Amino acid sequence: DAKTTQPPSMDCAEGRAANLPCNHSTISGNEYVYWYRQIHSQGPQYIIHGLKNNETNEMASLIITEDRKSSTLILPHATLRDTAVYYCIVVIRGGGSEKLVFGKGTKLTVNP
Amino acid sequence: DAGVIQSPRHEVTEMGQEVTLRCKPISGHDYLFWYRQTMMRGLELLIYFNNNVPIDDSGMPEDRFSAKMPNASFSTLKIQPSEPRDSAVYFCASRGRPEDTGELFFGEGSRLTVL
């Protein structure tokens, strides 16, 4: 599975959009981009995933560049409860590579 | 659905003692994963099962660790004998359909402290 690079930490003001970047320059054509977050002391929580099209759900939006070498997770109106570590992971979906490998992620702090 | 249920939530034990962590996956999920999280090493995959069969245990640190899944609704992770370096939060996660490779549902974790 391709490796990802994320900034170790970011800050965001409450109510503003939080844009979390992820580089995955070695991503292959059949690898999906997944995002998880982990609020302190809790288990990781799935947020969203995508292949090449932009995706949106009730939690966030995922923007994937046309060359698929990077992506951005957008929390449109960050709240204090969005303070967490956010993990970007690339993995083959349903292709036999069943392991989800977590990196160090980005610690997002939402400030009042 | 109650989600993935882990027990105990907290365990404090002394070095050399046996520790057993338990997990009940979401009903109908065929995959079960055990992860360990420490400050130094982050989230590490220890082992995962498909239809109760261990598929990949390459992340299990050493022979002191063992995991079983006797049926579709129950799994255990055992450490015997435990050591202080085993102190960590152990997460269990389950997944449904094979094509949902990345969509894991995690439990709240079992925080283990070995003195």
Side-chain angles (χ1 to χ4, degrees):
Chain A
D1 294 332
K3 299 183 78 171
T4 62
T5 304
Q6 298 178 254
S9 64
M10 292 184 64
D11 285 277
C12 176
E14 188 178 19
R16 304 297 293 269
N19 298 293
L20 294 99
C22 179
N23 285 319
H24 30 79
S25 59
T26 61
I27 193 170
S28 59
N30 59 350
E31 286 183 311
Y32 284 68
V33 180
Y34 280 80
W35 282 84
Y36 277 75
R37 74 178 181 184
Q38 186 174 23
I39 297 171
H40 181 62
S41 299
Q42 298 181 17
Q45 176 191 24
Y46 164 80
I47 300 173
I48 198 168
H49 74 273
L51 180 63
K52 52 184 178 181
N53 296 321
N54 298 337
E55 302 289 345
T56 295
N57 63 20
E58 64 279 4
M59 290 182 68
S61 294
L62 174 60
I63 308 297
I64 303 174
T65 58
E66 193 170 341
D67 63 7
R68 302 208 325 120
K69 292 185 177 182
S70 65
S71 60
T72 301
L73 179 75
I74 301 173
L75 309 177
H77 305 287
T79 71
L80 298 180
R81 288 179 295 181
D82 292 321
T83 292
V85 178
Y86 287 77
Y87 299 96
C88 168
I89 304 163
V90 292
V91 65
I92 297 172
R93 189 164 182 254
S97 175
E98 310 295 349
K99 293 192 274 192
L100 213 61
V101 178
F102 289 79
K104 296 191 181 300
T106 296
K107 180 171 174 52
L108 174 69
T109 302
V110 180
N111 300 304
Chain B
D1 197 319
V4 175
I5 299 173
Q6 292 187 244
S7 65
R9 291 295 310 278
H10 301 275
E11 173 94 3
V12 179
T13 190
E14 293 190 345
M15 183 173 62
Q17 296 298 306
E18 177 179 294
V19 174
T20 299
L21 308 177
R22 298 171 178 81
C23 175
K24 176 178 166 53
I26 292 173
S27 177
H29 280 191
D30 295 333
Y31 290 80
L32 184 139
F33 301 78
W34 282 100
Y35 283 83
R36 175 174 70 174
Q37 187 170 35
T38 62
M39 288 291 291
M40 291 293 294
R41 301 174 68 90
L43 266 167
E44 302 174 275
L45 177 63
L46 300 178
I47 185 172
Y48 78 91
F49 296 82
N50 180 22
N51 290 321
N52 312 335
V53 176
I55 302 300
D56 187 340
D57 65 355
S58 60
M60 294 286 264
E62 50 196 271
D63 291 345
R64 296 185 298 106
F65 285 69
S66 62
K68 294 182 179 180
M69 192 164 186
N71 57 62
S73 59
F74 183 67
S75 177
T76 60
L77 178 67
K78 185 174 292 187
I79 308 172
Q80 166 63 15
S82 58
E83 297 182 3
R85 60 190 168 130
D86 302 329
S87 297
V89 182
Y90 291 81
F91 289 103
C92 176
S94 69
R95 190 183 79 210
R97 303 175 302 173
E99 58 268 32
D100 295 333
T101 300
E103 292 157 52
L104 303 186
F105 294 82
F106 282 80
E108 291 299 310
S110 294
R111 180 176 295 276
L112 173 65
T113 302
V114 183
L115 303 175

